[in-house]
Amino acid sequence: MTVPPPRRPTIKDVAARSGVSKSTVSNVVRGTGGVSEATSARVREAVEALGYRPNAAARNLVQRRTNLIGVVLGDLANAFDAELVKRIERHASERDYTTLVCNTGGRPELEASRIEALLEQRVDGIALLDFTGDRGVLAQLLAERVPAVMVSCWTEYADCVAVDDQEGIELAVAHLAELGHTRIAHVQDPIMEAGTRRARAVAFERSLLRHGLPVRTEWTLPADAAGFVGPDRPTAVVAANDYTALRLIEGLEAAGIAVPGDVSVVGFDGIEIGALSRMALTTVAQPGDELARRAVELLIDRIGRGHDAPPEQQRLAPRLVVRGSTRARG
Amino acid sequence: MTVPPPRRPTIKDVAARSGVSKSTVSNVVRGTGGVSEATSARVREAVEALGYRPNAAARNLVQRRTNLIGVVLGDLANAFDAELVKRIERHASERDYTTLVCNTGGRPELEASRIEALLEQRVDGIALLDFTGDRGVLAQLLAERVPAVMVSCWTEYADCVAVDDQEGIELAVAHLAELGHTRIAHVQDPIMEAGTRRARAVAFERSLLRHGLPVRTEWTLPADAAGFVGPDRPTAVVAANDYTALRLIEGLEAAGIAVPGDVSVVGFDGIEIGALSRMALTTVAQPGDELARRAVELLIDRIGRGHDAPPEQQRLAPRLVVRGSTRARG
DNA sequence: TTGAAAGCGCTAACAC
DNA sequence: GTGTTAGCGCTTTCAA
């Protein structure tokens, strides 16, 4: 049997104690002017004494806004996503928004029900991080006119801010080409949002062509060592992200293939642990904080401006960070 | 100038469209029995057609509960915390709770204001993860009778679930002693919650004594290489957590001190990347999912049972995972 | 400068 | 089975 939660003081209690009306208390609490210093002081004293704290649900109900934003993402265990969430939460709280986090784990059915929960909470907007679900979810949000921003993945139909995938992949391929590699493979991440995955794959082929390098479909590989044996094996890889790159290196070395001795590896994201000298992951770094800052800004703008303003897309420039996982072809 | 958000359909709209009263709609939506199949179908049709979704704020207001829980943590960039949040979110959502995440970044003033926001939202309970703030915050929560559970750190005064720090440290020290190490240092993490930090430090000394090893206060070190030079230097370290252990290894190797060649390192937590063969971190692993599961259970129990039930403490057993960062003393 | 009154969208008693 | 009613705690006109 359930014990009812303790009753918290309400605006009415404060009004009673300070001998004024609810509206006056409301005015004091919200800092609207037009209250005499004397009353104001009495009210503040009562607020203090009672430990009064306004009830967001009641305020939301009348204001029809919640100052809540939702963040939907695939996997908090992916360091890049986790860092992004952390930064978004910080930027949002600076603008007085509270963040609801939904980790979908890449399961579409979960994703739908989690987003449903966000919508029941009447979040003012939603940020979709590099999310794994199908675009149907996004379409639904747009149809319901819920302000949404895609972070770190691209769409024509909604606000988004992302790194320039093509430029990033080009940086990686150019780096490898410069090191003399000609047989370059691409390793994808199945958990990655489909559009971004495809964009990076396409950019990869295009870059190979630009550098006059052979394109081989059998060199689009999973993150294990199987594709890296045989006489004609690739000598370098561009991974779709750092998380995948790290797992790939693990698999390669377990199979006796040295990195960068036998195979050079370039990642994508720029997560912290890639910088540890033991990993020394050469990577295409995304400007994480800039991404988060702009995402929040875009979302809040959209919340303020409503659904009818045209979508805004922002591309940020990636940066190549050369470390020890790449080397000139032997 | 701000555009008002689109008006969402309310229970009244559904009632009007299906020609019944609000209460009947409410009964259908919530699945309370006692509605004829015919009306029920009509209502469901209207819900569907209108795209009706109940407004959580209104429900919260009348029910005096939100099905919201807050999670307060120091740093999402710490993989152990991120994994914990992910799991807590999953367990919570299975129990129909939505999670509000607050990353305090270890700044006490931020912590207070973030928790304030949680309380305005009237979260039903709060989980404090391994949090960096002072215990004053916890005291305040308890005083306000807000259900709270401490995860991965210990307190007498509230519900908590944590790994057995003493046993964990003992596992680490015993392992090093067995490998022949006698000069063993301890490296702390300044961002760690103070109680846990102290508990592990005390456990460390106690374990040394138990094994007849020398205790030297100057061997409680920061996570850099400075303490590991000189003739009488320690040959092994127990780090307060994996994150610190990894940074320590980085600093050590940058200074030309090999791990495990010159110094053996044991971590604490069992984060994923420690398992990569390049890191091969020997560590005291915490049962992460069990921790999260019990935390949610404890919190929901507390929410149901109210403030007066006595606090419940749970200790979970850690497990030593031996990998390559430790070796017999040369 | 202050107060009274009318909701916001919903649930929960209770009537019918 | 279904409808009526009375709030939940707040903001927001509007009057005084």
Side-chain angles (χ1 to χ4, degrees):
Chain A
M1 65 126 261
T2 300
V3 171
R7 204 184 148 288
R8 314 252 167 235
T10 74
I11 198 172
K12 215 169 143 190
D13 299 321
V14 177
R17 186 179 221 265
S18 47
V20 298
S21 71
K22 289 192 301 174
S23 348
T24 298
V25 174
S26 179
N27 284 330
V28 172
V29 169
R30 288 174 307 139
T32 335
V35 179
S36 78
E37 185 44 47
T39 354
S40 178
R42 280 218 321 291
V43 170
R44 285 197 308 269
E45 183 276 332
V47 165
E48 195 64 29
L50 262 27
Y52 168 73
R53 188 170 6 243
N55 180 325
R59 194 192 320 114
N60 295 344
L61 198 53
V62 43
Q63 291 191 155
R64 285 119 168 275
R65 69 196 312 274
T66 55
N67 272 41
L68 247 31
I69 63 169
V71 174
V72 179
L73 79 159
D75 191 359
L76 268 177
N78 178 330
F80 183 67
D81 282 2
E83 285 173 31
L84 225 37
V85 171
K86 167 184 164 180
R87 291 170 158 146
I88 287 177
E89 203 262 349
R90 209 190 65 242
H91 288 293
S93 77
E94 277 167 11
R95 311 270 236 119
D96 265 330
Y97 279 84
T98 294
T99 305
L100 289 160
V101 175
C102 291
N103 189 95
T104 65
R107 282 169 303 202
E109 73 292 358
L110 232 181
E111 185 168 86
S113 81
R114 303 305 294 125
I115 290 185
E116 196 65 22
L118 293 182
L119 295 177
E120 290 201 3
Q121 297 295 335
R122 297 291 192 270
V123 292
D124 290 335
I126 295 186
L128 282 332
L129 289 206
D130 181 22
F131 86 127
T132 59
D134 67 322
R135 301 260 167 153
V137 170
L138 179 62
Q140 188 210 339
L141 290 180
L142 294 179
E144 301 214 21
R145 325 185 116 242
V146 179
V149 56
M150 304 261 284
V151 188
S152 185
C153 54
W154 196 254
T155 173
E156 307 266 306
Y157 307 111
D159 294 327
C160 64
V161 50
V163 81
D164 190 319
D165 293 307
Q166 180 159 347
E167 187 186 338
I169 295 292
E170 167 62 21
L171 285 172
V173 171
H175 170 62
L176 292 171
E178 212 163 282
L179 291 174
H181 292 278
T182 53
R183 300 200 305 273
I184 306 177
H186 182 50
V187 169
Q188 302 189 330
D189 178 2
I191 296 199
M192 200 161 158
E193 189 272 326
T196 304
R197 184 169 61 229
R198 202 164 38 245
R200 292 190 187 170
V202 169
F204 176 70
E205 292 202 1
R206 198 175 302 183
S207 285
L208 288 186
L209 292 173
R210 181 175 307 132
H211 290 272
L213 299 175
V215 175
R216 303 262 214 104
T217 52
E218 72 269 26
W219 285 353
T220 291
L221 297 164
D224 59 44
F228 294 87
V229 290
D232 197 33
R233 72 204 205 305
T235 63
V237 196
V238 176
N241 59 34
D242 284 354
Y243 190 70
T244 302
L246 260 21
R247 283 187 332 223
L248 174 66
I249 291 174
E250 182 75 8
L252 252 22
E253 296 190 334
I257 301 167
V259 175
D262 299 318
V263 173
S264 286
V265 176
V266 182
F268 202 115
D269 279 350
I271 63 180
E272 264 184 36
I273 54 161
L276 292 178
S277 59
R278 291 228 184 162
M279 305 310 313
L281 183 64
T282 294
T283 192
V284 177
Q286 303 199 41
D289 196 60
E290 187 65 12
L291 228 38
R293 201 180 58 69
R294 295 201 188 203
V296 170
E297 196 170 286
L298 231 37
L299 193 53
I300 293 181
D301 274 11
R302 171 66 57 190
I303 292 169
R305 288 215 300 260
H307 184 269
D308 293 328
E312 188 169 332
Q313 279 95 23
Q314 301 191 355
R315 279 277 189 223
L316 268 40
R319 192 170 47 86
L320 181 72
V321 180
V322 177
R323 293 194 278 245
S325 66
T326 48
R327 136 176 340 171
R329 187 182 157 203
Chain B
M1 72 119 261
T2 300
V3 172
R7 204 184 148 288
R8 316 252 167 233
T10 73
I11 198 172
K12 215 169 142 189
D13 299 321
V14 177
R17 186 181 222 266
S18 48
V20 297
S21 73
K22 291 191 301 174
S23 352
T24 299
V25 175
S26 180
N27 284 330
V28 172
V29 170
R30 288 175 307 142
T32 336
V35 180
S36 78
E37 185 45 45
T39 16
S40 178
R42 280 218 321 291
V43 170
R44 283 197 309 269
E45 182 277 332
V47 165
E48 195 64 28
L50 262 26
Y52 168 73
R53 187 168 9 242
N55 181 326
R59 192 189 326 111
N60 295 343
L61 198 53
V62 43
Q63 291 192 155
R64 285 123 167 280
R65 65 191 323 264
T66 55
N67 272 42
L68 249 30
I69 61 168
V71 174
V72 179
L73 79 159
D75 192 359
L76 269 177
N78 178 329
F80 183 68
D81 282 3
E83 284 172 31
L84 224 37
V85 171
K86 167 184 165 181
R87 291 169 158 146
I88 287 177
E89 203 264 347
R90 209 189 66 241
H91 288 292
S93 76
E94 277 167 11
R95 310 270 235 120
D96 264 331
Y97 279 84
T98 295
T99 306
L100 288 161
V101 175
C102 291
N103 188 96
T104 65
R107 283 169 302 202
E109 74 292 357
L110 232 181
E111 185 167 85
S113 82
R114 305 305 294 123
I115 289 184
E116 196 65 22
L118 292 182
L119 295 177
E120 290 201 4
Q121 297 294 338
R122 297 292 192 270
V123 293
D124 290 335
I126 295 185
L128 281 334
L129 289 206
D130 183 21
F131 86 127
T132 59
D134 67 321
R135 302 260 165 153
V137 170
L138 179 62
Q140 188 210 337
L141 290 180
L142 294 179
E144 301 214 22
R145 325 185 116 241
V146 178
V149 56
M150 305 262 283
V151 188
S152 184
C153 55
W154 196 254
T155 174
E156 307 267 304
Y157 307 112
D159 294 327
C160 64
V161 50
V163 80
D164 190 319
D165 294 307
Q166 180 159 346
E167 186 186 339
I169 295 292
E170 167 61 22
L171 285 172
V173 171
H175 169 62
L176 292 171
E178 211 163 281
L179 291 174
H181 292 277
T182 53
R183 300 199 304 273
I184 306 177
H186 181 50
V187 169
Q188 302 189 330
D189 178 2
I191 295 199
M192 200 160 158
E193 190 272 326
T196 305
R197 185 170 60 228
R198 202 164 38 246
R200 294 191 186 169
V202 168
F204 176 71
E205 293 202 1
R206 199 175 302 182
S207 285
L208 289 186
L209 292 172
R210 181 174 309 131
H211 290 271
L213 299 174
V215 175
R216 302 261 213 106
T217 52
E218 72 270 27
W219 285 352
T220 292
L221 296 164
D224 59 44
F228 295 87
V229 291
D232 198 32
R233 70 201 207 309
T235 63
V237 195
V238 176
N241 59 34
D242 284 354
Y243 191 69
T244 302
L246 260 21
R247 283 188 332 221
L248 174 66
I249 291 174
E250 182 76 8
L252 251 22
E253 296 191 334
I257 300 167
V259 175
D262 299 318
V263 173
S264 286
V265 176
V266 182
F268 202 114
D269 279 350
I271 63 180
E272 264 184 36
I273 53 161
L276 293 178
S277 60
R278 293 232 183 157
M279 305 309 315
L281 183 65
T282 294
T283 193
V284 177
Q286 303 199 41
D289 197 59
E290 186 66 12
L291 227 38
R293 201 180 58 69
R294 296 202 188 203
V296 170
E297 195 171 286
L298 230 39
L299 193 53
I300 292 180
D301 274 11
R302 171 64 58 188
I303 291 168
R305 287 215 300 261
H307 184 268
D308 293 328
E312 188 169 332
Q313 279 95 21
Q314 301 191 357
R315 279 277 190 223
L316 269 39
R319 190 170 48 86
L320 182 71
V321 180
V322 177
R323 292 196 278 244
S325 65
T326 49
R327 126 167 3 161
R329 186 182 158 202

